[in-house]
C-alpha cells in the first residue's frame, strides 16, 4: 500500500474515532476508506482491521466517560458482557448474509430514527429516570447486547448510534450518558468480533495498530467534547451521522 493511501487511512481513523466517541458511526467513514485504499481486499479483512482500530478508540472513550460522568453499570455492564459472544457470532456469520437482504431493513430503521429524533426535540436532552424499570433494563440489555451486537459483528457501521438511541429511548438516558453506556457495549462488540476475525486471519495487524493509535487520539478529543458541550451537541452530531448513513445505504441500494 502506498504512503498516500496509508496517510488517508490514518486520517480517516482519527476522524472515525472522534465520531465514534461522540455518538457512534465511525465505521461509516473508516470501512469504506479501507475498501477504497486497498482495492480487492476481502470484506472480512476490512471488517477485522476496522475492528482492531475501533476497539482502541471505543475503549479509550469508555474510560474517558467513566472517569468524568456517572455510568449506569446495571444496564451497561450486562449488555457489554453479552455483546462479546454475540458479536463474535455475528462476525462468524459475516458474509453469509448478502447486503441486499439486510440493507433495506437497516435503511428503513434509520429513516424512522431520523424522523423520530427530529420530531421529538427533547429526546435525550434530559434523563427520564422513571423509564429505568427492571423490565426496561432487561429490554435494553437484550437489544444492545443481543440484537445490535449481532449486527455489529456481521456488518458494523452505525452500531454506536443504534446503541445510543437504544439506551435513550428504552431506559431514558440523556444523550451524554447514553453515549457513555454505548461506548462500553461497543467495546464489547468490537472485542468479540475482533477475536473471531483475528483467529480466521482476517486482520492486518500492523496497519490496524497504526490506525488504532490515530483512532485513540480522535476518541479522546471526541469524548471530552461531548462531555463539555452536552446533550444538545450530541443530538446534532447524531442526526448528521444518521442522515449520512441513510445517504450511504440509499446510494448502495438504489444507485
Amino acid at each position: 500500500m502506498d504512503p498516500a493511501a496509508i496517510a488517508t487511512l490514518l486520517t480517516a481513523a482519527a476522524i472515525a474515532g472522534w465520531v465514534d466517541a461522540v455518538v457512534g458511526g465511525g465505521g461509516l467513514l473508516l470501512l469504506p476508506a479501507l475498501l477504497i485504499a486497498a482495492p480487492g481486499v476481502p470484506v472480512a479483512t476490512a471488517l477485522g482491521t476496522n475492528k482492531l482500530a475501533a476497539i482502541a478508540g471505543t475503549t479509550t472513550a469508555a474510560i474517558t466517560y467513566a472517569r468524568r460522568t456517572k455510568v449506569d453499570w446495571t444496564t451497561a455492564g450486562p449488555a457489554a458482557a453479552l455483546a462479546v459472544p454475540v458479536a463474535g457470532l455475528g462476525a462468524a456469520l459475516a458474509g453469509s448474509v448478502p447486503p441486499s437482504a439486510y440493507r433495506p431493513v437497516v435503511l428503513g430503521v434509520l429513516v424512522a430514527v431520523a424522523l423520530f429524533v427530529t420530531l421529538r426535540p427533547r429526546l435525550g436532552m434530559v434523563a427520564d429516570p422513571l423509564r429505568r424499570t427492571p423490565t426496561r433494563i432487561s429490554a435494553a440489555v437484550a437489544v444492545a447486547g443481543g440484537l445490535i451486537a449481532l449486527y455489529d459483528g456481521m456488518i458494523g457501521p452505525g452500531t454506536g448510534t443504534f446503541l445510543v438511541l437504544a439506551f435513550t429511548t428504552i431506559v431514558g438516558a440523556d444523550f451524554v450518558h447514553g453515549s457513555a453506556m454505548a461506548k462500553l457495549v461497543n467495546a464489547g462488540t468490537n472485542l468479540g468480533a475482533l477475536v473471531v476475525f483475528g483467529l480466521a486471519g482476517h486482520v492486518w495487524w500492523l496497519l490496524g495498530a497504526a490506525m488504532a493509535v490515530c483512532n485513540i487520539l480522535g476518541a479522546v478529543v471526541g469524548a471530552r467534547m461531548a462531555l463539555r458541550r452536552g446533550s444538545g451537541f450530541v443530538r446534532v452530531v447524531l442526526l448528521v451521522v444518521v442522515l449520512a448513513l441513510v445517504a450511504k445505504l440509499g446510494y448502495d441500494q438504489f444507485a
Side-chain angles (χ1 to χ4, degrees):
M1 193 178 295
D2 63 86
I6 293 174
T8 300
L9 286 175
L10 295 180
T11 302
I15 298 172
W18 184 90
V19 174
D20 267 337
V22 175
V23 76
L28 174 68
L29 173 65
L30 193 51
L31 191 56
L34 273 164
L35 294 170
I36 292 169
V41 60
V43 174
T45 301
L47 286 168
T49 306
N50 174 61
K51 291 302 179 191
L52 177 57
I55 192 172
T58 52
T59 302
T60 300
I63 293 171
T64 302
Y65 276 109
R67 284 177 174 174
R68 294 171 177 244
T69 191
K70 187 177 180 180
V71 175
D72 179 5
W73 290 100
T74 304
T75 305
L82 177 61
V84 176
V86 173
L89 174 62
L93 296 173
S96 61
V97 180
S100 58
Y102 62 76
R103 193 183 293 131
V105 177
V106 177
L107 184 58
V109 170
L110 284 168
V111 170
V113 164
L115 290 172
F116 185 69
V117 175
T118 301
L119 295 174
R120 296 189 61 181
R122 298 304 302 166
L123 176 72
M125 299 301 290
V126 179
D128 183 2
L130 294 178
R131 290 190 186 181
R132 196 175 171 276
T133 64
T135 300
R136 284 181 170 270
I137 290 174
S138 298
V141 170
V143 171
L147 186 62
I148 298 175
L150 184 67
Y151 167 82
D152 191 29
M154 294 180 64
I155 308 162
T159 295
T161 306
F162 288 137
L163 288 169
V164 173
L165 287 167
F167 291 129
T168 301
T169 56
I170 298 174
V171 292
D174 61 45
F175 278 134
V176 170
H177 290 86
S179 190
M181 290 190 284
K183 297 304 151 290
L184 291 166
V185 179
N186 211 173
T189 64
N190 286 332
L191 175 60
L194 178 61
V195 169
V196 172
F197 285 127
L199 291 174
H202 288 304
V203 178
W204 286 343
W205 294 102
L206 188 59
L207 176 62
M211 291 165 59
V213 173
C214 296
N215 202 261
I216 287 172
L217 295 176
V220 170
V221 174
R224 290 179 177 176
M225 238 176 169
L227 288 164
R228 186 171 65 251
R229 298 196 177 187
S231 294
F233 171 71
V234 175
R235 181 179 185 274
V236 171
V237 177
L238 183 145
L239 276 171
V240 170
V241 170
V242 168
L243 291 174
L245 280 164
V246 169
K248 170 68 169 58
L249 289 173
Y251 177 83
D252 291 343
Q253 182 69 18
F254 302 113

